[in-house]
């Protein structure tokens, strides 16, 4: 059977509270009962001593035991549940409660037995009599017989005390139950509400709705993590979804042109409008080559999207890495007749070495691609406060001002390069920028058409 959290918690709280209250009541009743019985017995003994003492006092005041004098003592004792018989030294009865008022004695005993039965339903009436001698200067001046229910009995005050105590315990029990109910409900609300919201959000995410409202802050650590993870999950999924949509749209857009060209050219040849000659076949082959290159680049992008979040950072000298890449590029540069130079101080960074290489290769490769023969590409590294700044400068074709803001976008190629056979797919700079930003750096570009381009990459230095 499945209960919701609120019911479950409330039941648990009530259960714990009930057990506590029951244990406390039990302990209170057991301990108090024993103490209380001891107290009542002590009281009874004290009353007996007091009665004897008062009779003795009467004797001392009047020099004998007279009925009129001791009657007050007997009546007071009767009111407290004791039936007195007082005899003088010769054994002659002076005052007897049953003789004085037998009806009242009877009534009083009935009343006490009712008291006792109300508290102890199994109580058996046990009437007993204690006989005490009354002495003065070692002389027995009389005897008193005190009859009462034994070994103890509860008069109205005693019973009131016990009943009040039980009433207090009952009220406390009710109060504790109410508090338990409230605390259970409140706790369940505090724990349950965020969980319900997480469930809601998960259901919405499952339906493809990633625009979740932000979760309210909760004081419970685990729930705080849970809601935050949920937030992060939604955001990540949203990002992935946007990427996927954009990629699909971009790919469709990129494929459309070469495929349309291929189709129209092939149709023209089929219809006999165009002759099938080497030049046209070459044109078709170029388009196919371009498609092929694009598919390869798409693979690169897919790979990058897959593992761009994971940075395997190590500490290394950035200048050394650039020097190595420059060295590898030299044959390609000299083949095209473009000069490549590098200068830089040793600067240590903590970064993903592979991704840094990819970023530097992209920039140098673009320099080579967009700089004509006899041009030059200069690379330098400088320390600037807490940053290592990499400059990749060329005196190539440059980028038009209207293209400049978009060159880091996916698949964006400036018109000039679009027409060139060297043109790539416009993915290199997108990846380059993402790598720099993933490392907490910035990338900037300045360019003048016909005069050249400079890329500036600033990366945090690793404080050795
Ligand atoms: P790709 O080089 O594959 O076309 P990139 O993302 O690397 O894609 O570059 C995007 C566009 O930015 C290029 O097509 C080109 O128009 C322009 N570009 C990049 N680097 C340079 C450069 N050094 N000189 C001139 N234009 C450049």
């Amino acid at each position: 059977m499945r209960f919701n959290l609120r019911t479950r918690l409330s039941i648990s709280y009530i259960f714990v509270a009930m057990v506590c209250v029951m244990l406390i009541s039990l302990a209170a009743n057991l301990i108090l009962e024993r103490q209380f019985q001891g107290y009542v017995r002590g009281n009874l003994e004290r009353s007996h001593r007091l009665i004897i003492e008062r009779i003795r006092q009467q004797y001392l005041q009047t020099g004998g035991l007279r009925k009129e004098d001791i009657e007050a003592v007997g009546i007071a004792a009767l009111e407290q549940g004791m039936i007195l018989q007082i005899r003088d030294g010769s054994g002659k009865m002076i005052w007897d409660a049953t003789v004085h008022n037998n009806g009242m004695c009877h009534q009083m005993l009935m009343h006490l037995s009712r008291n006792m039965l109300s508290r102890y339903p199994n109580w058996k009436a046990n009437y007993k009599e204690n006989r005490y001698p009354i002495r003065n200067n070692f002389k027995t001046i009389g005897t008193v017989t005190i009859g009462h229910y034994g070994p103890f009995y509860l008069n109205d005050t005693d019973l009131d005390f016990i009943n009040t105590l039980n009433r207090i315990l009952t009220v406390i029990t009710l109060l504790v139950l109410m508090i338990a109910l409230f605390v259970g409900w409140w706790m369940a609300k505090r724990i349950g509400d965020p969980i319900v919201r997480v469930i809601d959000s998960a259901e919405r995410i499952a339906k493809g709705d990633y625009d979740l409202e932000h979760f309210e802050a909760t004081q419970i650590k685990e729930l705080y993590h849970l809601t935050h993870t949920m937030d992060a999950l939604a955001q990540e999924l949203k990002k992935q979804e946007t990427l996927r949509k954009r990629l699909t749209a971009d790919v469709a857009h990129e494929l459309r042109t070469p495929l349309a060209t291929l189709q129209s050219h092939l149709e023209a040849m089929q219809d006999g409008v165009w002759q099938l000659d080497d030049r046209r076949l070459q044109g078709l082959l170029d388009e196919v080559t371009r498609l092929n290159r694009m598919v390869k680049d798409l693979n690169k992008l897919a790979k990058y999207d897959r593992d761009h979040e994971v940075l395997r950072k190590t500490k290394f000298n950035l200048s050394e890495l650039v020097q190595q890449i420059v060295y590898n590029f030299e044959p390609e540069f000299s083949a095209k007749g473009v000069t490549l130079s590098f200068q830089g101080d040793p600067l240590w960074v903590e970064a993903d070495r592979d991704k840094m290489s990819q970023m530097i290769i992209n920039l140098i490769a673009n320099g080579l691609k967009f700089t004509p023969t006899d041009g030059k590409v200069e690379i330098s590294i400088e320390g600037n406060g807490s940053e290592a700044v990499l400059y990749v400068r060329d005196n190539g074709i440059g980028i038009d001002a209207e293209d400049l803001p978009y060159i880091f976008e996916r698949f964006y190629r400036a018109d000039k390069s679009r027409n060139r056979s060297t043109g790539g797919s416009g993915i290199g700079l997108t990846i380059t920028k993402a790598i720099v930003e993933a490392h907490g750096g910035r990338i900037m570009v300045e360019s003048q058409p016909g005069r050249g381009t400079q890329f500036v990459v600033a990366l945090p230095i690793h404080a050795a």
Side-chain angles (χ1 to χ4, degrees):
M1 183 135 168
R2 286 203 174 87
F3 292 106
N4 64 29
L5 193 67
R6 199 163 290 184
T7 319
R8 251 255 141 74
L9 267 181
S10 300
I11 291 176
S12 312
Y13 274 88
I14 291 176
F15 178 74
V16 172
M18 289 266 276
V19 170
C20 288
V21 169
M22 263 159 56
L23 282 178
I24 291 172
S25 303
L26 207 74
N29 267 295
L30 278 179
I31 296 167
L32 274 176
E33 183 70 35
R34 193 172 298 167
Q35 293 283 334
F36 189 70
Q37 284 184 13
Y39 163 80
V40 172
R41 278 171 210 239
N43 252 357
L44 202 62
E45 280 164 22
R46 260 193 308 281
S47 313
H48 288 192
R49 280 201 301 277
L50 209 71
I51 289 168
I52 297 164
E53 187 51 31
R54 282 180 68 186
I55 297 173
R56 212 170 66 84
Q57 289 300 325
Q58 287 293 335
Y59 176 86
L60 290 179
Q61 274 170 25
T62 56
L65 288 177
R66 285 199 323 237
K67 184 184 171 201
E68 312 80 73
D69 300 329
I70 51 177
E71 194 169 64
V73 181
I75 291 172
L78 186 60
E79 277 164 5
Q80 286 174 37
M82 288 168 285
I83 295 172
L84 258 54
Q85 287 173 334
I86 302 157
R87 292 183 169 82
D88 67 7
S90 63
K92 192 178 118 222
M93 184 70 76
I94 299 171
W95 193 83
D96 184 344
T98 51
V99 173
H100 169 73
N101 190 340
N102 194 28
M104 190 174 158
C105 288
H106 194 69
Q107 231 176 31
M108 198 274 310
L109 285 178
M110 288 286 285
H111 180 74
L112 286 185
S113 86
R114 264 201 307 279
N115 274 6
M116 287 303 274
L117 283 169
S118 77
R119 175 82 187 140
Y120 312 103
N122 294 327
W123 180 78
K124 291 265 172 334
N126 171 26
Y127 184 78
K128 54 188 258 186
E129 290 186 334
N130 296 65
R131 182 187 291 255
Y132 304 98
I134 306 166
R135 290 201 177 89
N136 185 35
N137 290 337
F138 306 110
K139 186 177 152 224
T140 304
I141 52 167
T143 52
V144 57
T145 310
I146 305 177
H148 61 86
Y149 280 135
F152 70 95
Y153 60 87
L154 300 178
N155 61 30
D156 289 356
T157 326
D158 301 332
L159 201 66
D160 260 4
F161 175 78
I162 288 199
N163 286 343
T164 311
L165 191 77
N166 278 327
R167 262 199 300 278
I168 290 174
L169 279 176
T170 313
V171 170
I172 288 179
T173 308
L174 286 176
L175 262 175
V176 166
L177 286 186
M178 270 158 64
I179 291 172
L181 202 71
F182 174 74
V183 173
W185 170 84
W186 182 73
M187 277 307 285
K189 193 171 154 51
R190 291 204 40 184
I191 298 174
D193 283 1
I195 294 180
V196 168
R197 277 202 299 278
V198 169
I199 294 171
D200 263 10
S201 307
E203 279 170 357
R204 278 171 56 184
I205 289 175
K207 286 181 194 144
D209 174 7
Y210 306 117
D211 287 316
L212 307 179
E213 307 90 56
H214 271 284
F215 289 101
E216 289 160 32
T218 156
Q219 299 298 319
I220 302 165
K221 213 168 158 187
E222 288 82 357
L223 287 178
Y224 178 82
H225 283 310
L226 180 65
T227 50
H228 269 246
T229 313
M230 205 65 202
D231 257 346
L233 176 70
Q235 273 162 34
E236 181 56 31
L237 283 173
K238 186 178 178 182
K239 210 167 86 189
Q240 294 294 333
E241 172 84 355
T242 323
L243 272 176
R244 194 172 58 76
K245 280 188 186 149
R246 229 176 76 185
L247 190 65
T248 321
D250 288 349
V251 169
H253 176 83
E254 286 301 307
L255 291 179
R256 200 177 307 132
T257 324
L259 283 176
T261 313
L262 276 174
Q263 189 182 359
S264 62
H265 286 199
L266 284 170
E267 277 170 2
M269 288 176 195
Q270 199 180 34
D271 296 347
V273 181
W274 275 5
Q275 287 297 310
L276 186 73
D277 56 28
D278 277 354
R279 197 174 56 83
R280 293 205 163 109
L281 272 179
Q282 186 56 48
L284 293 182
L285 192 62
D286 284 350
E287 285 303 318
V288 173
T289 313
R290 215 160 88 72
L291 278 173
N292 202 9
R293 194 166 48 215
M294 195 182 300
V295 171
K296 273 192 197 146
D297 280 352
L298 277 173
N299 252 337
K300 251 197 256 168
L301 188 66
K303 182 176 175 310
Y304 176 75
D305 276 343
R306 211 167 43 235
D307 58 23
H308 77 284
E309 297 287 354
V310 199
L311 291 180
R312 290 179 196 84
K313 284 188 176 181
T314 51
K315 287 164 214 158
F316 59 89
N317 183 348
L318 187 64
S319 297
E320 211 176 273
L321 179 69
V322 176
Q323 180 65 73
Q324 182 62 45
I325 295 169
V326 166
Y327 181 72
N328 291 345
F329 260 112
E330 264 162 10
E332 275 183 70
F333 273 77
S334 58
K336 195 179 174 185
V338 179
T339 321
L340 177 64
S341 67
F342 169 67
Q343 57 142 2
D345 313 322
L347 279 174
W348 289 76
V349 290
E350 187 173 19
D352 186 317
R353 204 181 156 100
D354 288 344
K355 294 207 163 75
M356 281 288 127
S357 303
Q358 193 185 348
M359 179 270 286
I360 297 159
I361 290 171
N362 283 353
L363 293 179
I364 300 179
N366 274 355
L368 175 64
K369 203 157 45 173
F370 300 110
T371 306
T373 309
D374 293 334
K376 58 179 180 188
V377 175
E378 292 167 346
I379 301 159
S380 59
I381 294 185
E382 282 171 18
N384 179 12
S386 60
E387 288 182 324
V389 188
L390 167 77
Y391 297 90
V392 179
R393 199 175 307 123
D394 67 56
N395 62 354
I397 61 168
I399 306 165
D400 283 340
E402 68 257 31
D403 289 322
L404 211 52
Y406 304 108
I407 57 164
F408 294 108
E409 300 269 306
R410 249 163 223 244
F411 297 115
Y412 194 85
R413 279 166 289 146
D415 263 344
K416 269 192 208 141
S417 61
R418 209 178 273 268
N419 299 328
R420 290 166 61 101
S421 55
T422 49
S425 317
I427 286 168
L429 284 180
T430 313
I431 296 179
T432 302
K433 186 177 185 212
I435 292 175
V436 172
E437 286 177 349
H439 282 84
R442 297 166 292 137
I443 183 164
M444 292 141 288
V445 59
E446 292 159 11
S447 187
Q448 282 188 349
R451 300 192 63 179
T453 308
Q454 168 169 270
F455 282 93
V456 184
V457 176
L459 290 164
I461 286 183
H462 179 255

